[in-house]
Amino acid sequence: MNTTHASDRKRTIIYVAIFLLVAIIGLAYVKWLPYVDKSITAITTQSIGDSILGDPADAGTFSWESTWSYTVTYFLAVWKAAVLGIVLGSLVQVLIPSDWLLRTLGKTSFGSTAIGGLTSLPGMMCTCCAAPVAAGLRKKNVSIGAALAFWLGNPVLNPAVLIFMTFVLSWEFTLLRAVFGIVLVFGISYLANRFAPQPAPEELARKVEEAETALAPEEGSFLSRWLKSMGRLALFIIPAYFISVLLIAAVRPWLFPLLDSASGNTLLMILLFAIGGMLFVIPTAAEIPIIQTFMSAGLGTGPAAALLITLPAISLPSLILVSGAFPRKVLWFVAGAVILLGVLCGLVGMWVL
């Protein structure tokens, strides 16, 4: 029996080491190293590039050419991270021990939510690229709050984006993003547990015990199980991702209203930009040049501050990608909370920036 336990423990350690190795190499290549160069660019030029939305004056004008152009530009910016997200989301399901995840992230306590949010910080992924990992965590019975905190924490509390923002926009914008981001990632995620059935302590203990006694290798080789898990993820994610991004690109001209000097900093504009930002999809850090461009075209600090939260946090495509992992009530709650926090952030921005 002791020999069996030792063998199971050794296999678990190897599996976790493989997952960490893939995550570290993938994130270093896709995120960490490129962000070093981008940080230097932000510090020296006070810019990280042009707005992916193009000229704000084009708002309200639809064309298939611009729709397709945005879709192509978007996927060229995110495809590496999207592939990494699918790989890590599938590896979570076949490599990380269920009992360990249940012990650390399976509870509806604030502690599990906090761990989920803190483990998201090295990821630095956009909301869509983090979606497969969040879905993978949910398949391993991770709690609503912990999985949401991981999903939201990736884009909202991205350390690199906070650095870019400080030098391109201002430290005041960064402070607003950090404060409201912390409320969203840790507070809203924790409250979201209330919108799902609460497992009794004895039920959680039973799940942990079942996971501990199910450490024997599953049927089939690791490679076959991983490919099957990745195939299931990709089969849903890739078509849904492409179609939803194409759809949001098509309605892009009407998501962000035309600007003029009289309407650039009102409560109505804050609300409209909060809703548009919640629905719209962007690559990592794209909110910075978008805000910079809008403000140069006359947008007030209020709507700009609303976009700080709503643009990166979630989007219609990302909500679709995690729709099978979270109860519908939870996703409606998160979408409403993102808009509300965006409006509150916008009001603070209008008054103090």
Side-chain angles (χ1 to χ4, degrees), residues 49-104:
D50 297 329
S51 169
I52 194 172
L53 284 177
D55 189 347
D58 294 335
T61 304
F62 170 80
S63 75
W64 281 113
E65 182 181 357
S66 65
T67 296
W68 183 250
S69 176
Y70 182 86
T71 304
V72 171
T73 302
Y74 171 82
F75 279 113
L76 286 176
V78 306
W79 75 267
K80 293 178 182 178
V83 170
L84 180 62
I86 292 174
V87 170
L88 294 180
S90 58
L91 286 177
V92 161
Q93 299 178 50
V94 298
L95 288 181
I96 305 299
S98 296
D99 63 319
W100 182 82
L101 284 174
L102 284 171
R103 289 182 186 280
T104 56

Side-chain angles (χ1 to χ4, degrees), residues 16-224:
V16 172
I18 292 173
F19 178 83
L20 291 176
L21 183 63
V22 172
I24 290 170
I25 293 174
L27 289 172
Y29 174 67
V30 173
K31 294 291 181 179
W32 300 342
L33 294 178
Y35 284 173
V36 172
D37 293 335
K38 189 168 282 191
S39 295
I40 295 173
T41 300
I43 293 169
T44 56
T45 68
Q46 286 74 57
S47 173
I48 58 170
D50 297 329
S51 169
I52 194 172
L53 284 177
D55 189 347
D58 294 335
T61 304
F62 170 80
S63 75
W64 281 113
E65 182 181 357
S66 65
T67 296
W68 183 250
S69 176
Y70 182 86
T71 304
V72 171
T73 302
Y74 171 82
F75 279 113
L76 286 176
V78 306
W79 75 267
K80 293 178 182 178
V83 170
L84 180 62
I86 292 174
V87 170
L88 294 180
S90 58
L91 286 177
V92 161
Q93 299 178 50
V94 298
L95 288 181
I96 305 299
S98 296
D99 63 319
W100 182 82
L101 284 174
L102 284 171
R103 289 182 186 280
T104 56
L105 300 172
K107 302 173 184 177
T108 57
S109 64
F110 182 77
S112 282
T113 301
I115 293 172
L118 292 173
T119 55
S120 74
L121 298 182
M124 304 185 188
M125 290 188 174
C126 65
T127 180
C128 289
C129 298
V133 185
L137 290 172
R138 286 290 295 149
K139 285 184 180 296
K140 300 287 279 189
N141 290 316
V142 165
S143 71
I144 295 285
L148 273 179
F150 177 87
W151 181 44
L152 297 172
N154 263 275
V156 174
L157 296 180
N158 185 326
V161 173
L162 296 179
I163 293 173
F164 305 157
M165 192 172 291
T166 301
F167 289 96
V168 176
L169 298 176
S170 70
W171 68 265
E172 292 94 340
F173 275 96
T174 304
L175 181 61
L176 274 181
R177 167 69 165 263
V179 170
F180 282 90
I182 288 171
V183 172
L184 175 62
V185 172
F186 298 103
I188 297 303
S189 296
Y190 173 64
L191 291 177
N193 284 312
R194 305 299 177 262
F195 290 83
Q198 304 295 303
E202 56 270 17
E203 182 182 352
L204 180 61
R206 178 182 58 78
K207 287 183 177 180
V208 172
E209 185 177 354
E210 290 176 352
E212 287 176 335
T213 57
L215 290 177
E218 297 180 34
E219 184 178 349
S221 65
F222 157 72
L223 184 61
S224 66

Side-chain angles (χ1 to χ4, degrees), residues 296-313:
S296 67
L299 186 68
T301 55
L307 292 179
L308 280 178
I309 294 297
T310 60
L311 266 179

Side-chain angles (χ1 to χ4, degrees), residues 202-321:
E202 56 270 17
E203 182 182 352
L204 180 61
R206 178 182 58 78
K207 287 183 177 180
V208 172
E209 185 177 354
E210 290 176 352
E212 287 176 335
T213 57
L215 290 177
E218 297 180 34
E219 184 178 349
S221 65
F222 157 72
L223 184 61
S224 66
R225 289 185 290 114
W226 174 46
L227 291 176
K228 186 182 298 183
S229 174
M230 187 165 59
R232 284 195 297 263
L233 268 178
L235 189 63
F236 168 72
I237 284 176
I238 293 176
Y241 196 9
F242 177 78
I243 293 171
S244 59
V245 170
L246 187 65
L247 173 64
I248 209 71
V251 301
R252 170 177 57 93
W254 298 281
L255 280 180
F256 303 105
L258 288 169
L259 304 175
D260 59 58
S261 58
S263 62
N265 205 32
T266 63
L267 177 59
L268 176 60
M269 192 62 72
I270 290 173
L271 177 60
L272 291 175
F273 269 71
I275 295 172
M278 184 277 292
L279 292 171
F280 198 62
V281 61
I282 59 169
T284 303
E287 66 270 26
I288 297 174
I290 288 174
I291 291 171
Q292 193 177 34
T293 301
F294 269 130
M295 291 185 69
S296 67
L299 186 68
T301 55
L307 292 179
L308 280 178
I309 294 297
T310 60
L311 266 179
I314 59 175
S315 65
L316 179 61
S318 70
L319 288 170
I320 292 173
L321 295 183

